Amino acid sequence: MEFFCYHRDRRDSLGLRTELREEHWSYMDRYAARMIARGPTFAPDGRTPTGSVHIVDLPNSAAARAFAFDEPNYQAGAYRDVLLRRWHNTLGRTMWDWPGGRSGGDRYLVLGLGAGQAADLDVSADRDELIAYGPLLSDDGANWLGTAALVRAEDPDEARALLTPDRYAEIEVHGWAFGGRPPS
């Protein structure tokens, strides 16, 4: 089962996150073989971290909750909240399989929180710019709750246009970057 996990930073937690960076990476190393995508989100200034996205394939909801809530930054109080939802990997690949690579162009997390009938289940025609894409689902996988995507786009407005606006209660767009240990 695939899960989308978004830890949102508590205000002024950058020092704590910096202090726990190695512990966070070591924790995530344990899930490396199951990771579909990961990386930090940023404020509009492009430098200030605002959260951490992890899309991971785990055996069940209990394993996903353990993954989200045992994470060192969460345990230390660096995060203010966690969005954890079942997810479906519509593209069938990881971010490392995306042909665009780790750098080049602006990247965004687009998070559409659903309202009513399912929307945007089909992959956009501009698939080359999609790094990860899929519906957010209820715990049992039966109900559509929204859409989460990682995309390369010119700006936040272009990223937002990925989703059908009137089908969502809210659409959030956050700057995002490939995560994990820097390549050596």
Side-chain angles (χ1 to χ4, degrees):
M1 288 182 207
E2 298 152 337
F3 293 88
F4 174 86
C5 180
Y6 184 31
H7 291 96
R8 295 175 194 261
D9 284 10
R10 181 177 46 82
R11 186 184 315 275
D12 299 323
S13 65
L14 179 57
L16 182 57
R17 284 191 65 185
T18 301
E19 178 183 322
L20 294 169
R21 181 174 290 138
E22 181 57 37
E23 194 174 340
H24 167 77
W25 284 342
S26 293
Y27 180 81
M28 291 303 161
D29 287 348
R30 297 176 10 207
Y31 294 93
R34 297 179 164 279
M35 201 66 67
I36 296 166
R38 66 185 284 191
T41 58
F42 298 95
D45 68 11
R47 293 182 313 276
T48 306
T50 60
S52 191
V53 171
H54 296 92
I55 304 174
V56 63
D57 189 357
L58 296 167
N60 53 48
S61 295
R65 282 189 294 279
F67 168 83
F69 298 112
D70 290 345
E71 194 278 339
N73 288 316
Y74 179 82
Q75 288 294 311
Y79 299 132
R80 69 176 167 95
D81 61 53
V82 179
L83 173 63
L84 180 63
R85 292 283 182 240
R86 290 264 313 260
W87 187 76
H88 174 70
N89 187 356
T90 303
L91 300 175
R93 66 178 182 222
T94 72
M95 71 180 203
W96 298 277
D97 298 327
W98 179 62
R102 289 185 70 93
S103 60
D106 294 330
R107 287 102 191 284
Y108 299 93
L109 163 64
V110 181
L111 187 58
L113 304 177
Q117 295 291 340
D120 300 318
L121 296 176
D122 295 323
V123 175
S124 160
D126 196 4
R127 183 184 178 105
D128 292 344
E129 299 303 313
L130 293 175
I131 300 163
Y133 186 92
L136 297 168
L137 304 167
S138 59
D139 287 347
D140 63 3
N143 298 309
W144 176 84
L145 302 175
T147 304
L150 300 172
V151 61
R152 179 171 57 188
E154 289 295 319
D155 56 43
D157 290 334
E158 183 182 51
R160 181 183 307 277
L162 181 67
L163 301 183
T164 308
D166 63 348
R167 300 306 302 273
Y168 296 89
E170 182 179 356
I171 297 176
E172 301 176 17
V173 178
H174 305 270
W176 175 81
F178 270 55
R181 294 179 189 279
S184 23

